[in-house]
Amino acid sequence: VATAVVAGKAVRALARLRGGGSAFPGLVAERIAPGILSQALADVPRGIVVVSGTNGKTTTTKMLVALLRAHGRDVFTNPTGSNFTRGVLSEMLPHLPVSGRLAVDTVVVELDEAHAMRFIAEVPPTHSLLLNVARDQLDRFAEIDHTADLLARLGAASTEGVVANADDPFVARAAGEVGVPVRWFGLDESIADRLPELTEHDSRFDDALAAHEPGPGDARLRPRDERVFDIVFEDLVVGPVTLHQRGLAAMINATAAATTARMLLGDAFDAATAATALAEVRPPFGRGEVVEVEGQPLELVLVKNPAGFGVALNTYGSTPVATMIAINDNDADGRDVSWLYDVSFASLRERGVSFTSGIRAYDIALRLHYDDVATDRVVPDLDAALDAFVAAHPDEPKRVFCTYTAMMALRRTLAARYGLAHFGEEVRT
Amino acid sequence: VTSTTVLEPAGPSKGTLTLVHLYPREMSIYGDRGNTQALASRIRRHGYTAEVVLHDPGDELRTDAHLFMGGGGQDSGQARVEDDLEAIGPTLRSMAADGVPMLVICGMYQLFGNSFHTVTGQVLPGLGILDVTTHGNDKRMIGPVCIETEYGRVVGYENHSGSTVLGPGQRAFGTVLSGHGNNGEDATEGARSHHVIGTYLHGPLLPANPMVSDALIAPAAERATGRPFEPEVLADPLADEARGRQVRRLVGSRR
């Protein structure tokens, strides 16, 4: 194992010098010592949490880690958003003593459903947080029913507890069948009518769910207005909270994180500490991250599936700004771009879209055309489009909706030109 | 109650084409609503009125329809439409034989065939509108596709585990230039009989391939008006560029 750890560390250092490759060092370590992950996590005493689901993993994981750290926990996580088993291992390597055992008390990792299966095959998590099931990159997971089944298996593999989304029929069904205690999070009755903003509603019309009565340890999201909200437990309230990140989706993520933190911390959970910790969480890259460009804010918004794009358009629709949309179809983006036709772009109609870009720049312009949204210019080259976009709107805020690899490329360019924090690092405040 | 939307052309209407989207909620997993949107938009641009009907399970079938569209679904979606499809099947079959244009994608393409044989050996009968037979498969055929058709090169994306074989004499929709097609072996993609097109291509199919839309709209317009199709000359620069770029990516400049 020591050899694997050292080899992995060396590859990681090399990969950093080359400026990339977040999963490769993990692959090297795994090849040399196949059981390295389970061994590294063997002595973690106070919980191994897997966060999974289609949308909101990165944001929720970040919030959960912040909550646990604010309560004094020593937490390891995979903050780069490389939500793959090898990415977890790669991230772990610099923290790993040559003994191969990670010296932290709690581990929180975000894993997509497929990689969660590989993780649980090696390491049984104590807890899992099941966020939601929406159609995402079907070319990888094939079908939404299959995805739901993977989440159910993650819940069933958890040894101490499961936290589940009460408003998601797939998740509710998955969590309903586990043998360990389940805590539920969801929307307060008062805003139940806003559920469609968070879910891909039409595809599950007949999965109407019996209302889930909140019990001890369950939490409900109760917004006060568009920015301020409370997380309401039976016996205490976390709030009022104002997040850096806007929108209902971020609020429900915070509710999920608080529910999980409380399940892990038990009586040690403190509402005031939790509210402060949530308010301080910076948006992860590409999730409403704002870059100062020529004196004006430019916001990068990652889009990867119909539910997420719909939520993003709902979140920002009330404040129309200069807009660019960049769509790539590499493996990490999802190679199939059909899902763009399951998003309604009507909220962009009035202002129009300034630029489309990426490998599928013409396809997204064509899609927008069918929703009567005008596109000023189509420029497939991302850097050229970014430059022209910035130049065309010198005096106003800008927003770029982009798929994963388009975002990574744009972020690299923005970092080089405007001094953005490096990939995976916190934006300095 | 059946959901119906009427979309008028910009100028005077040359007639009304009724377009039925079969099971839009259960069988539209790959953006197939985009096909209906593309057809309706194009019908209007050609100067006709588009009446778009969303047919849900249990609805009365519009037997006066001029054009049908049905998409792909996952297994649970197919299970929910089975009974209704069995009920309207004979009517669809006679309308297809009578020349009503239909576009069926992926799951609905399989259901329009003779039968589907599951991995476990179960045989599920189809509507028999297209002479094709599909066998369930452990291997999924996934990826971008480019095919040669009588309408020119068509691009799309396939994602299916069923392996489909054409019956003797059954015409294919196209010949595979890049991708898997019906079964990954005989270079055929989809099937065509009368004015019915079955295919695995989504993307969705029609927005980037407007010539296929026109091939469906022409017979629909003739049925609706009793006159030959009177098309407008339409420019589709975005669709042409989107398609052209995919063709170049997938087959380059060869052939």
Side-chain angles (χ1 to χ4, degrees):
Chain A
V1 171
T3 315
V5 172
V6 172
K9 279 174 187 277
V11 173
R12 190 174 194 277
L14 284 171
R16 283 246 145 161
L17 284 176
R18 279 188 19 249
S22 74
F24 182 60
L27 174 62
V28 170
E30 199 177 73
R31 282 282 158 77
I32 298 178
I36 189 168
L37 187 64
S38 58
Q39 189 154 352
L41 299 180
D43 289 341
V44 176
R46 301 177 76 182
I48 296 172
V49 187
V50 174
V51 179
S52 195
T54 313
N55 286 313
K57 288 187 289 292
T58 302
T59 298
T60 308
T61 299
K62 225 181 153 191
M63 289 171 168
L64 176 56
V65 169
L67 286 167
L68 294 172
R69 284 181 178 156
H71 285 83
R73 287 286 184 98
D74 185 8
V75 184
F76 168 81
T77 185
N78 53 335
T80 60
S82 68
N83 56 22
F84 302 102
T85 316
R86 280 170 198 150
V88 173
L89 197 49
S90 293
E91 192 59 39
M92 202 178 276
L93 283 164
H95 304 279
L96 218 51
V98 176
S99 73
R101 307 237 161 161
L102 198 61
V104 296
D105 58 37
T106 312
V107 168
V108 179
V109 291
E110 60 154 308
L111 292 168
D112 68 30
E113 299 85 348
H115 286 86
M117 294 305 101
R118 293 193 203 161
F119 186 88
I120 63 176
E122 286 196 50
V123 183
T126 58
H127 297 80
S128 54
L129 167 51
L130 313 181
L131 290 169
N132 48 59
V133 178
R135 193 156 72 75
D136 183 30
Q137 301 189 22
L138 284 162
D139 43 349
R140 190 136 55 100
F141 299 136
E143 292 195 343
I144 194 166
D145 291 338
H146 176 62
T147 310
D149 180 52
L150 297 183
L151 270 198
R153 281 155 63 186
L154 171 61
S158 307
T159 58
E160 291 179 26
V162 170
V163 177
N165 185 345
D167 297 323
D168 186 302
F170 290 106
V171 169
R173 211 174 303 137
E177 291 164 11
V178 303
V180 292
V182 181
R183 299 284 177 265
W184 301 89
F185 66 93
L187 298 181
D188 187 70
E189 269 176 28
S190 60
I191 56 155
D193 60 328
R194 293 185 64 186
L195 187 59
E197 290 175 40
L198 296 175
T199 60
E200 195 184 359
H201 209 60
D202 55 13
S203 66
R204 42 174 113 171
F205 58 97
D206 71 346
D207 290 323
L209 198 60
H212 208 282
E213 277 304 309
D218 295 347
R220 287 291 180 271
L221 166 65
R222 189 183 293 160
R224 296 187 182 195
D225 57 36
E226 282 302 304
R227 295 304 303 272
V228 186
F229 63 100
D230 293 304
I231 298 168
V232 183
F233 288 91
E234 199 179 50
D235 52 343
L236 60 84
V237 174
V238 177
V241 179
T242 307
L243 298 172
H244 284 288
Q245 216 170 335
R246 296 195 301 168
L248 193 63
M251 292 183 190
I252 197 71
N253 292 338
T255 308
T259 311
T260 312
R262 191 166 188 205
M263 192 177 200
L264 283 155
L265 293 163
D267 292 341
F269 182 85
D270 179 73
T273 305
T276 310
L278 286 172
E280 285 172 0
V281 174
R282 311 293 307 185
F285 68 91
R287 278 74 165 183
E289 185 182 48
V290 177
V291 188
E292 196 79 0
V293 175
E294 316 278 349
Q296 290 290 335
L298 183 148
E299 198 168 5
L300 286 175
V301 183
L302 176 69
V303 293
K304 50 180 186 167
N305 54 46
F309 210 150
V311 168
L313 288 168
N314 274 320
T315 302
Y316 303 112
S318 51
T319 52
V321 300
T323 301
M324 170 168 142
I325 304 181
I327 304 292
N328 275 353
D329 66 353
N330 297 310
D331 282 346
D333 303 295
R335 292 164 69 205
D336 183 5
V337 295
S338 302
W339 62 274
L340 292 170
Y341 282 82
D342 287 329
V343 179
S344 169
F345 293 95
S347 66
L348 297 175
R349 198 171 289 156
E350 198 175 323
R351 176 73 207 250
V353 168
S354 187
F355 282 80
T356 63
S357 186
I359 300 167
R360 304 303 289 266
Y362 282 94
D363 296 84
I364 179 64
L366 180 62
R367 167 69 193 100
L368 291 168
H369 160 80
Y370 277 113
D371 269 359
D372 298 316
V373 177
T375 302
D376 294 343
R377 282 181 63 196
V378 183
V379 180
D381 183 84
L382 288 165
D383 283 353
L386 181 65
D387 285 341
F389 179 51
V390 170
H393 304 277
D395 302 319
E396 56 180 323
K398 289 169 272 293
R399 186 172 297 132
V400 182
F401 296 99
C402 37
T403 59
Y404 189 79
T405 66
M407 188 192 71
M408 298 306 286
L410 288 170
R411 209 175 176 284
R412 238 179 345 257
T413 305
L414 288 165
R417 293 183 193 168
Y418 305 102
L420 193 63
H422 286 295
F423 175 53
E425 287 178 8
E426 284 295 304
V427 180
R428 302 234 185 279
T429 53
Chain B
V1 181
T2 310
S3 159
T4 302
T5 313
V6 176
L7 302 160
E8 298 290 349
S13 176
K14 299 171 186 170
T16 298
L17 274 64
T18 300
L19 159 63
V20 175
H21 185 153
L22 295 169
Y23 318 121
R25 290 187 296 195
E26 296 83 358
M27 301 289 285
S28 294
I29 191 155
Y30 298 116
D32 292 315
R33 287 182 192 84
N35 287 324
T36 299
Q37 219 175 343
L39 283 169
S41 162
R42 205 157 181 88
I43 287 167
R44 291 176 60 209
R45 291 173 66 203
H46 280 305
Y48 296 84
T49 302
E51 182 190 24
V52 181
V53 179
L54 304 181
H55 177 93
D56 295 327
D59 287 351
E60 196 168 328
L61 185 69
R62 283 286 298 268
T63 52
D64 58 341
H66 309 109
L67 179 50
F68 286 88
M69 210 301 291
Q74 46 182 344
D75 295 348
S76 58
Q78 299 201 11
R80 286 196 287 253
V81 307
E82 244 166 38
D83 289 350
D84 191 74
L85 195 60
E86 198 181 317
I88 67 173
T91 312
L92 285 178
R93 198 157 42 230
S94 64
M95 289 176 85
D98 194 40
V100 177
M102 302 181 182
L103 173 67
V104 285
I105 315 272
C106 204
M108 199 65 97
Y109 166 41
Q110 295 174 349
L111 291 168
F112 265 49
N114 294 321
S115 56
F116 186 95
H117 302 247
T118 68
V119 183
T120 52
Q122 216 184 339
V123 181
L124 311 169
L127 299 184
I129 293 172
L130 296 166
D131 183 13
V132 302
T133 304
T134 303
H135 286 264
N137 214 323
D138 287 333
K139 182 184 124 213
R140 269 194 108 76
M141 290 173 256
I142 304 179
V145 188
C146 179
I147 60 176
E148 191 71 76
T149 73
E150 66 187 271
Y151 319 109
R153 285 180 179 180
V154 168
V155 296
Y157 196 94
E158 65 184 330
N159 184 346
H160 55 106
S161 59
S163 184
T164 299
V165 176
L166 305 178
Q170 171 67 56
R171 256 187 309 170
F173 172 46
T175 305
V176 176
L177 300 179
S178 173
H180 301 280
N182 280 329
N183 47 53
E185 282 167 18
D186 64 11
T188 64
E189 204 299 313
R192 261 202 71 196
S193 291
H194 309 288
H195 293 298
V196 178
I197 297 174
T199 175
Y200 279 115
L201 299 195
H202 51 91
L205 175 72
L206 296 180
N209 302 290
M211 62 288 191
V212 181
S213 289
D214 286 350
L216 295 160
I217 291 170
E222 286 181 25
R223 295 183 74 83
T225 62
R227 299 189 307 274
F229 179 40
E230 300 156 14
E232 299 295 322
V233 178
L234 303 178
D236 304 289
L238 290 175
D240 293 345
E241 192 66 38
R243 183 178 68 259
R245 282 172 177 262
Q246 279 299 94
V247 169
R248 287 197 292 281
R249 269 176 101 190
L250 296 174
V251 300
S253 49
R254 66 196 160 87
R255 286 174 218 244

